Amino acid sequence: MSGVLHQSNGIGLTLFQDSAGSMKGSANTGSMKGSLRSGANVDGDSIFFIVKWDSGSRGRYAGTRSQFDRRLTGNSSDLVHPENVATWSSTKQF
């Protein structure tokens, strides 16, 4: 399963989940790249993961899957600069 997350500040993330439930992913701002750190967690309809950016920042992502349309929505914050926050959502069903 894979999907794209769109963030309110223009960042795009791509997530992949294999049949064993392991998650991998990448992020791109145009000028910076990031990747999902190991330990991404999906628990029922909740999702949590950290993106490590090539700038040294780390983004914390937490969200839920809607029972209505099965899309993901959530919030993110920069763990190095906590004043940087955004919302995000998926375009595909999970």
Side-chain angles (χ1 to χ4, degrees), residues 32-63:
M32 286 192 314
K33 294 186 184 331
S35 59
L36 254 72
R37 293 187 52 178
S38 61
N41 185 24
V42 178
D43 182 15
D45 290 325
S46 297
I47 183 170
F48 173 83
F49 57 92
I50 304 256
V51 171
K52 179 161 183 357
W53 294 95
D54 57 9
S55 66
S57 283
R58 294 181 330 272
R60 177 189 182 277
Y61 290 76

Side-chain angles (χ1 to χ4, degrees), residues 4-51:
V4 175
L5 304 181
H6 294 282
Q7 202 164 292
S8 60
N9 59 2
I11 293 173
L13 295 101
T14 304
L15 299 178
F16 303 94
Q17 186 175 26
D18 65 22
S19 59
S22 296
M23 293 195 60
K24 297 187 182 335
S26 61
N28 192 329
T29 68
S31 62
M32 286 192 314
K33 294 186 184 331
S35 59
L36 254 72
R37 293 187 52 178
S38 61
N41 185 24
V42 178
D43 182 15
D45 290 325
S46 297
I47 183 170
F48 173 83
F49 57 92
I50 304 256
V51 171

Side-chain angles (χ1 to χ4, degrees), residues 30-93:
S31 62
M32 286 192 314
K33 294 186 184 331
S35 59
L36 254 72
R37 293 187 52 178
S38 61
N41 185 24
V42 178
D43 182 15
D45 290 325
S46 297
I47 183 170
F48 173 83
F49 57 92
I50 304 256
V51 171
K52 179 161 183 357
W53 294 95
D54 57 9
S55 66
S57 283
R58 294 181 330 272
R60 177 189 182 277
Y61 290 76
T64 57
R65 181 177 59 182
S66 167
Q67 291 293 319
F68 174 69
D69 64 7
R70 300 185 56 82
R71 286 179 167 68
L72 301 174
T73 59
N75 298 296
S76 65
S77 60
D78 187 323
L79 296 174
V80 176
H81 303 283
E83 67 277 8
N84 294 339
V85 296
T87 58
W88 54 266
S89 61
S90 67
T91 55
K92 288 177 59 178
Q93 295 180 338

